[in-house]
Amino acid sequence: QVQLVESGGGLVQAGGSLRLSCAISGRTFSPYVMGWFRQAPGKEREFVAAISWSGTNTHYAESVKGRFTISRDNVKNTRYLQMNSLKPEDTAVYYCAVDHGETVRIFEEGRRYDAWGQGTQVTVSS
């Protein structure tokens, strides 16, 4: 079993920044692709970004490309999402998740990810 705990969410003004963290414990010896997803009220969950185990492969949703950066620290078993130039439309609950079926290829489909955190709220005011 693997456990994921997100932190770093909060309230920020448009144009501001936040850094989300995802601490991963449990089955940490198995490599994985790690992704960030978000879900706004009344909307479906959507892919935000993901990073391969080695960190050499990253992928971003078009809506966040150039503003968000995903990174990892395999020693700490933690993944980060640096979010800059935040917009009100970025308001959502952000979830981290892991795909143990892959170490390099990144997929946007949430159903591929086998473990999820509880989510952290990000609210961007205009």
Side-chain angles (χ1 to χ4, degrees), residues 4-110:
L4 297 88
V5 179
E6 303 96 336
S7 61
L11 173 64
V12 64
Q13 288 189 330
S17 299
L18 284 174
R19 189 176 83 152
L20 304 183
S21 299
C22 177
I24 304 166
S25 61
R27 187 183 156 191
T28 56
F29 56 87
S30 298
Y32 46 81
V33 164
M34 181 275 180
W36 286 98
F37 294 77
R38 66 186 182 187
Q39 187 167 20
K43 294 188 176 181
E44 293 189 353
R45 182 180 63 197
E46 65 175 354
F47 172 83
V48 176
I51 188 167
S52 63
W53 174 253
S54 68
T56 57
N57 189 20
T58 58
H59 179 60
Y60 297 91
E62 285 297 324
S63 60
V64 306
K65 200 172 290 185
R67 300 188 297 121
F68 291 11
T69 302
I70 191 170
S71 61
R72 97 279 186 262
D73 184 331
N74 282 348
V75 174
K76 295 182 178 180
N77 288 314
T78 301
R79 303 296 184 265
Y80 306 96
L81 186 68
Q82 178 67 42
M83 305 186 296
N84 299 328
S85 302
L86 283 161
K87 305 175 181 180
E89 50 264 44
D90 294 318
T91 294
V93 177
Y94 284 71
Y95 300 90
C96 61
V98 295
D99 176 3
H100 279 103
E102 289 290 339
T103 59
V104 176
R105 294 185 299 174
I106 291 173
F107 295 89
E108 295 187 1
E109 293 81 6

